[in-house]
Amino acid sequence: MLAITQDRYGDSGVLALRDIDVPIPAGDEVLVEVRAAGVDRGVWHLMTGLPYPVRFAGYGVRAPKNPVLGMDLAGVVSSVGAGVSRFRPGDEVYGIGIGAFAEYARVLEKKLAPKPKNLTFEQAAAVPISSLTALQAVRDQAEVKVADRVLILGASGGVGSYAVQVAETYGAEVTGACSADKAELVQWLGAHHVLDYRTDDFTQYGPFDVIIDVNGNASLSRLRKALTPKGTLVIVGGENGGRWLGGNDRQLRAMLLSRFVGQRLRSFINSENHVDLQTMTELIETGQVVPALDRVFPLAETVAAIQYLMDGHARGKVVISVA
């Protein structure tokens, strides 16, 4: 099978399209014939091995344990392990796999769900990780409820585009912050108000009951200034903390400070599970959530897809077409 592979950490120059063996699924895994795969910032982190704690989280200290990049996928079940009961060959599925930038990929059964009937494979591949992160940030961490004033920083990106829609389904008054050229997208997603993060000071538009900061770099003092005294801040990632912390220092400081103030300052690691994927399927099939799909690249142009995302061009999600 064809796959995008790497034998060392580094920039996009470490990636190569190679012909390798089809993986063999374990007892609790499903082998999926991949039709499309999603691209997010996690792909860049696994490609570069940065920040360094990524390497110690089971992905390989000196070199990647799994040579094939990619996680989000949508496709057709090819075969199943002996312990799999929810799927059979021919089923159309989507989820979070191991080595999704390839013609075939292994997926744990618990991270796989039936593909939403109203989505193409390309649209479905844009859903799993970003939408689960958004759902869990809005529902579980922020506990958004009707009439809450919610600010989403990074509203035009992968996680942000879903967070806007999920918060709106909970009855919140949503304000999205993004660059001016992406304002139309954020309005289309359902935001009631849109701020230009370059020119609008979000602290002047509060106070907000909830702030969800996606891969941002605003200081904790500014974020807290924009919150109500009992408001909730949820930090989802960070991209400016160097090779060791990778932005996580702000998250750590927020969780420590939260013990001593009235505001709830939170961060979390998303849970990759089929139950929440099925929740997203219901929201998608009822039309309450729509994947914001920007561009689709062929497998051979995976490097260009990653660069497009990291350069900040993406409006919503970027996807690789495999089949």
Side-chain angles (χ1 to χ4, degrees), residues 18-47:
R18 295 190 177 98
D19 192 357
I20 64 173
D21 292 337
V22 174
I24 299 173
D28 58 350
E29 293 179 337
V30 175
L31 182 65
V32 175
E33 181 183 350
V34 181
R35 300 293 178 83
V39 183
D40 61 20
R41 287 181 176 270
V43 166
W44 180 88
H45 290 299
L46 294 181
M47 179 183 75

Side-chain angles (χ1 to χ4, degrees), residues 120-308:
T120 65
F121 287 110
E122 287 81 8
Q123 290 172 318
V127 174
I129 293 176
S130 292
S131 75
L132 293 190
T133 304
L135 174 68
Q136 292 160 16
V138 170
R139 181 194 65 191
D140 304 332
Q141 300 299 317
E143 299 177 350
V144 170
K145 57 186 183 298
V146 174
D148 275 353
R149 298 194 68 210
V150 177
L151 170 65
I152 298 173
L153 302 173
S156 62
V159 174
S161 64
Y162 287 109
V164 168
Q165 298 179 81
V166 173
E168 200 277 334
T169 68
Y170 277 81
E173 179 185 338
V174 180
T175 298
C178 60
S179 58
D181 61 326
K182 299 174 183 177
E184 186 175 350
L185 167 66
V186 175
Q187 289 176 326
W188 176 78
L189 291 170
H192 301 86
H193 317 283
V194 181
L195 304 180
D196 182 345
Y197 83 93
R198 293 190 180 96
T199 59
D200 295 325
D201 180 359
F202 65 80
T203 66
Q204 302 302 308
Y205 293 83
F208 296 96
D209 301 292
V210 171
I211 298 177
I212 297 176
D213 186 8
V214 184
N215 293 326
N217 57 17
S219 67
L220 288 180
S221 60
R222 289 188 69 219
L223 292 166
R224 290 188 60 213
K225 180 180 179 181
L227 274 179
T228 62
K230 297 293 184 181
T232 300
L233 165 67
V234 180
I235 299 177
V236 184
E239 296 297 328
N240 65 340
R243 290 176 173 268
W244 278 101
L245 293 176
N248 292 325
D249 58 325
R250 191 175 59 133
Q251 295 166 267
L252 294 172
R253 286 186 283 111
M255 290 186 288
L256 288 173
L257 181 60
S258 187
R259 300 181 180 186
F260 306 102
V261 298
Q263 297 162 326
R264 299 190 303 170
L265 313 178
R266 296 182 166 183
S267 182
F268 73 107
I269 297 174
N270 72 319
S271 171
E272 300 173 350
N273 67 87
H274 71 90
V275 175
D276 282 350
L277 261 180
Q278 289 168 333
T279 297
M280 291 308 307
T281 297
E282 293 170 7
L283 293 174
I284 290 167
E285 291 185 340
T286 57
Q288 297 177 80
V289 170
V290 179
L293 182 57
D294 182 350
R295 288 188 60 179
V296 178
F297 291 79
L299 183 63
E301 296 180 16
T302 296
V303 169
I306 295 172
Q307 194 61 52
Y308 180 80

Side-chain angles (χ1 to χ4, degrees), residues 101-120:
F101 294 169
E103 292 179 318
Y104 291 88
R106 295 157 44 217
V107 189
L108 286 166
E109 182 184 21
K110 65 183 181 181
K111 296 186 179 185
L112 198 63
K115 181 180 73 68
K117 294 180 176 61
N118 58 334
L119 296 187
T120 65

